[in-house]
Amino acid sequence: MNNYRIITLRERPELVAIAAEWFHSKWGVPAEAYLECMKAYLSGKTEYGWYICLYDESIVAGLGVIENDFHDRKDLTPNVCAVYAEEEHRKKGLAGNLLNKVVDDMRNKGVTPLYLVTDHIGFYEKYGFVYKENRPDTGGEDSRIYYKQL
């Protein structure tokens, strides 16, 4: 992890447009939607944050914490979202380190529990997330909802 650094966007607000475009390129959600959430975080309107992993000065992994991640259970909030690591940087613990950073930050802010929506089985359990239920996402696809008490 020598050349890797995990930071929040509050630490490097000049990267907000680059980060929004990076997340957009991974998930297809409009960059403007990411920008809106990121600006709310940077302005202090929310403590739900955005975390990126830099390799030298390039974004190679990231995730966010938002109110709702495209599911109909509005009571299950906040949600870890947009977890992604570039393929050539996988299997180095980046996503796990990002998750641990988010858990620590949210715990320190008194935010609990955390939820997330995924189709992965086995990965998030390693970091203490527990399967809650299946729900259709906004596109009608079945997704797994996990939570973690902090």
Side-chain angles (χ1 to χ4, degrees), residues 1-6 53-56 92 94 97:
M1 291 275 304
N2 287 348
N3 293 334
Y4 294 99
R5 286 182 308 136
I6 293 175
C53 180
L54 298 173
Y55 181 76
D56 295 324
K92 296 179 182 189
L94 303 181
N97 285 328

Side-chain angles (χ1 to χ4, degrees), residues 7-27 29-53 59 61-67 81-83:
I7 62 167
T8 70
L9 276 182
R10 282 186 179 158
E11 294 172 69
R12 296 280 307 273
E14 71 276 12
L15 295 176
V16 69
I18 294 166
E21 197 56 48
W22 184 84
F23 281 106
H24 161 70
S25 74
K26 306 310 170 198
W27 296 107
V29 173
E32 295 77 25
Y34 289 112
L35 270 175
E36 182 180 325
C37 292
M38 291 171 179
K39 286 180 178 177
Y41 171 61
L42 292 176
S43 70
K45 289 181 183 168
T46 182
E47 284 304 309
Y48 302 158
W50 288 88
Y51 304 78
I52 56 176
C53 180
I59 299 173
L63 58 76
V65 179
I66 59 174
E67 197 71 28
C81 71
V83 179

Side-chain angles (χ1 to χ4, degrees), residues 33-149:
Y34 289 112
L35 270 175
E36 182 180 325
C37 292
M38 291 171 179
K39 286 180 178 177
Y41 171 61
L42 292 176
S43 70
K45 289 181 183 168
T46 182
E47 284 304 309
Y48 302 158
W50 288 88
Y51 304 78
I52 56 176
C53 180
L54 298 173
Y55 181 76
D56 295 324
E57 285 299 307
S58 297
I59 299 173
V60 297
L63 58 76
V65 179
I66 59 174
E67 197 71 28
N68 179 278
D69 193 18
F70 302 111
H71 59 80
D72 63 356
R73 290 288 309 270
K74 304 301 182 202
D75 57 317
L76 304 182
T77 188
N79 289 214
V80 173
C81 71
V83 179
Y84 193 88
E86 298 282 2
E87 199 164 333
E88 62 270 22
H89 294 275
R90 292 182 184 166
K91 307 259 189 250
K92 296 179 182 189
L94 303 181
N97 285 328
L98 282 161
L99 285 169
N100 290 335
K101 169 90 169 139
V102 166
V103 165
D104 287 346
D105 280 2
M106 293 298 110
R107 181 184 296 120
N108 290 336
K109 294 173 181 178
V111 176
T112 190
L114 277 178
Y115 296 92
L116 63 83
V117 178
T118 187
D119 57 359
H120 291 286
I121 298 172
F123 177 75
Y124 294 100
E125 291 89 338
K126 295 177 197 173
Y127 299 95
F129 284 84
V130 177
Y131 170 76
K132 180 172 180 54
E133 64 189 57
N134 276 29
R135 298 298 292 186
D137 63 21
T138 53
E141 296 292 319
D142 210 28
S143 294
R144 298 171 62 82
I145 296 180
Y146 286 80
Y147 72 96
K148 181 171 180 153
Q149 290 295 138

